[in-house]
Amino acid sequence: MGAESSPAGGHDALRAAVVVAALGVVFGDIGTSPIYTIQTVFNPADPHPVPVETANVYGVVSLVFWSVTLIVTLTYVTLVMRVGNRGQGGIMALITLLRRNGGGPGRRRAVVLAALGVFGAALFFGDSMITPAISVLSAIEGVKVVQPGFAHLVVPITAVIIVLLFLFQRQGTATVGRFFGPVMIVWFVAIGACGVSGIYQNPEILRAVSPTYAFSFLAGNFEVAFYSLAAIVLAVTGAEALYADMGHFGRRAIARGWLALVFPACLLSYFGQGALILGDQSKISSPFFLLTPDWARLPMVVLATAATVIASQAVITGAYSVASQAAQLGYLPRLRIAHTSVSTIGQIYVPWINWLLMVSVLTLVFAFRSSAALAYAYGMAVVVTITITTLIFFYLARVRFHTPLWLVLTGGGLLLAVDLLFLAANLTKLLHGAWLPLLIGLTAFAVMTTWQRGRAVVTRERQQAEGPLREFVAGLHDQSPPLTRVPGTAVFLNRGKETAPLALRANVEHNHVLHEHVLILSIETENVPYVPDRERIEVDDLGFRRDGILYVSARYGYIETPNVPAALALIHPEQTEGVLTFDDASYFLSKIELVRGDLPTMAGWRKRLFIATSYVTADAAEYFSLPRERTVIMGSRIAV
């Protein structure tokens, strides 16, 4: 018995550790929503204020309860998280699944949904800008409850914290990541305990669990209730993070963390705040912090600040992941990526995205200056992404998993109706901040789709300039006199197997030499997150044996960063035509200069945007981990 119980105990401890780690990364965003959700609903400065009446308090709390239950627990945890791309989640994973299942008569629908998915990914960048601003602002605003005289310090303190947060990103989260989970556990226990104390003072609030209160609020006072949905949706902010981080922690760990701790703690806080307002309507100004005992308010502000920083950290690293995956799938240029952990491949740092986000977040903090002013901008980003995710999920449920049509129409129709109701409510806030995430999303969407289109144009022009690879290699054998072969190994990076590298063609035509061993290497990105080393390399002699020219394909997942020397080291000697040495190998890159052309390949503004976007492309030698002292770059010009 003892021998059998030890492995089980170790396995349980491992699962518990994963759940704790997930608590520190996945739930920061949704777990800090109680700070500002109820406060925003009853904000008297709202253009469509909700009167603080007993029936409305019951209705709002009931709507919050059932919104979180339907959208987070049912839609995401129970349904959407069952669909992944080899364990990976998030909207980019849904796009790859759409690509894979986009053939046949439903191809047009799949293309439209994929475009919506790209727009959802674009909106995530807006979410990544708004989350740090509203989260940290809402936490620091607790200072006004503790000491009203410090209200003027809220914005400066927030700005300092945000600057420090982004400066820290280059160090990565591996060092402090182990502390995130325990901090969030303390946070959820604390907000849950405060909620219990509020409920104890006014237990009648528990009647709001009944959906009749939500329906009565909507049906009896629809105009007020409808506008309140624009703030109630804040309770589900961060739902997409549960799905996006599924690949790091697994569905079970996230589901257990949500059901065992996060869900009940958040609900207790919402019900406690509702009970507090029922007892004293004057406390609508900051019900979250006023729910805390006087002696604990300053510690709660400190804890809330830590929790919101963790929430911001999670969404920032999420932006890095989305940008990296988008670049791998051809929606963004190649970006410089630094891995900040030797054990966790998902922990990456993307400098260009980091500084863009920092400037954007600081701009939002100084422009809006309060969490209430940012609330409607935040809600729009959240609800659009949720609606797109739900729509794509039910489409895939039908075409990929063959779910009965009646079930898709019934279940999907109900959940989409909820999402669309929230979306319609947020549209009424367009002039009050909701335009911001849409503008950010449309801008990012234009950049991503323009890059994808321009990349296709450049690829086509480049193929014409390079010519067929096999025909070029055959021509090398027919040259008279034969080319001079110089000692050593040359690696020419290429975009595929069909065409000859421009650098190789230029080297032959202008220098009239060829290395003894020539490897034409292409990096292929698969629609899967990871490719194991045993499947990484494929070698082809291009139809000519013993000529020293080989084509090598290195396959990578869309989350991985290519490392050319490491990939070449995986080539088995039996696959080569002689002994290859890479210690002194030369690497050749083809650099393309883009200029505007006269052909109607794209609209004029798209051409300018494409060329401007190309300037942020990461240095190829650094991106592919090439030894710079042995890398040769040869240029060419292509008109778009």
Side-chain angles (χ1 to χ4, degrees), residues 461-620:
E461 294 297 321
R462 187 169 181 168
Q463 287 174 346
Q464 293 179 0
E466 292 172 337
L469 174 60
R470 291 184 182 272
E471 180 180 309
F472 176 76
V473 173
L476 296 179
H477 290 267
D478 297 335
Q479 285 205 13
S480 180
L483 285 171
T484 301
R485 304 297 289 262
V486 297
T489 301
V491 180
F492 292 86
L493 270 71
N494 201 30
R495 300 177 67 86
K497 192 175 183 178
E498 301 302 319
T499 61
L502 288 174
L504 176 59
R505 184 179 290 276
N507 195 43
V508 170
E509 293 177 355
H510 298 288
N511 298 329
H512 308 291
V513 296
L514 200 64
H515 283 73
E516 181 183 4
H517 298 289
V518 175
L519 299 184
I520 301 168
L521 175 69
S522 68
I523 305 297
E524 297 182 6
T525 303
E526 304 294 325
N527 285 334
V528 294
Y530 305 105
V531 173
D533 282 349
R534 65 180 181 276
E535 300 176 11
R536 177 118 27 228
I537 295 295
E538 292 183 3
V539 179
D540 185 354
D541 61 12
L542 298 174
F544 296 92
R545 296 182 61 82
R546 305 300 176 187
D547 65 350
I549 303 175
L550 295 174
Y551 172 81
V552 180
S553 173
R555 301 168 62 242
Y556 284 88
Y558 61 82
I559 286 180
E560 299 177 282
T561 301
N563 186 313
V564 168
L568 294 178
L570 298 173
I571 300 177
H572 196 275
E574 295 180 356
Q575 298 174 292
T576 65
E577 299 175 357
V579 179
L580 299 181
T581 58
F582 296 107
D583 292 339
D584 58 351
S586 299
Y587 297 87
F588 291 83
L589 293 172
S590 303
K591 183 177 178 60
I592 302 298
E593 179 187 354
L594 301 175
V595 295
R596 287 181 61 192
D598 297 327
L599 293 176
T601 53
M602 292 186 291
W605 68 269
R606 280 191 179 272
K607 291 183 179 182
R608 288 188 290 270
L609 177 60
F610 177 69
I611 294 173
T613 306
S614 70
Y615 292 130
V616 305
T617 303
D619 179 74

Side-chain angles (χ1 to χ4, degrees), residues 77-89:
V77 175
T78 305
L79 296 177
V80 175
M81 288 178 61
R82 295 182 181 274
V83 177
N85 182 27
R86 295 196 179 182
Q88 291 293 319

